Structure formats: structure tokens, C-alpha cells
Amino acid sequence: MMKMVNVKRSVMSMVAASAAVFAVSCATAQPATIKDGVYTAEQAAAGKELYERRCGACHNVDFYRNTFTNRNNQPLQYLFEEIIVNMPADMPGSMMDNEYENVLAHIMSLLGYAAGDQELSYASGTMSDVVIVPPGQ
């Protein structure tokens, strides 16, 4: 009987220690933000011409600065899906996902967000894990 009590205490101690470690890791985990280099410089360059041809006439940098500021702490996926559904205004949804990704990468470069090593990808599902922070913060 004494041996069983010791085993129960050991198991309870391990469970409590594991819970404490998990709680600390959850409390300190920060979501990725668009400041963490979530697109590549190549994507931004690829999106430049398309942006100038399809977006730039109606939407300047100030428009996007306000757009990103108003979506503070929202997943990047929400903005991306809004762009796909509504843009370009004369033919919403008319571009391929990679074209929208490249244009969004170019917009982020215009706003001063740094490029990184990983491509911006809607299909991968990673945009849901990246939150928007206002430019310049």
C-alpha cells in the first residue's frame, strides 16, 4: 500500500510540473506579426508591376497605412481574404493566389515591413498565425 501511495505522489508531481511548464510557455508565447519577415523580397519585387497596374491608381501608401492600422492584432489571413473577395474592384477574385500574395508582399514592403526567408503563402495556412501590427510600431 505504501508503494502505491508513493507512485501516486510521483505521478501527481510529474503532472503538476508538466502543467506548470505548459502554463509558462503559453503565457510567454507571442504570435508572429507581420514585422517578423513573413514574405520574401522576391515576392515583393514580383508584386510591384501588378500593384502598379491593378492597385496603385486607387490605393496609395497612406490608404494601406490606414488599412493596416485599423486591422491591428487581426490575423493577416482576414486582410488577404478581404483583398481576394473585393479586389481589383472591376474584377474581384480575378488574380491567382500567388499574384495576390506577391501584391500583398509588395504593399508590406512599401509600408516598411522587412522581408524574410519564407514566402507569404495563403495555401499553407500560416497567414492565420500572423497578426497585423500598424506600420512604424
Side-chain angles (χ1 to χ4, degrees), residues 48-85:
K48 181 179 183 198
E49 186 273 327
L50 194 55
Y51 168 83
E52 290 172 352
R53 189 167 33 95
R54 304 296 301 266
C55 313
C58 297
H59 305 298
N60 62 22
V61 175
D62 288 334
F63 170 82
Y64 290 110
R65 189 173 290 115
N66 290 332
T67 298
F68 280 64
T69 299
N70 291 336
R71 286 165 179 78
N72 189 27
N73 289 319
Q74 290 182 8
L76 184 59
Q77 177 181 336
Y78 293 1
L79 176 60
F80 186 80
E81 290 171 348
E82 184 178 335
I83 292 169
I84 288 176
V85 170

Side-chain angles (χ1 to χ4, degrees), residues 88-110:
D90 60 341
M91 294 177 62
S94 61
M95 300 187 310
M96 303 297 292
D97 283 357
N98 71 314
E99 292 175 312
Y100 283 107
E101 292 161 354
N102 292 344
V103 167
L104 184 54
H106 179 68
I107 291 166
M108 287 191 284
S109 73
L110 291 174

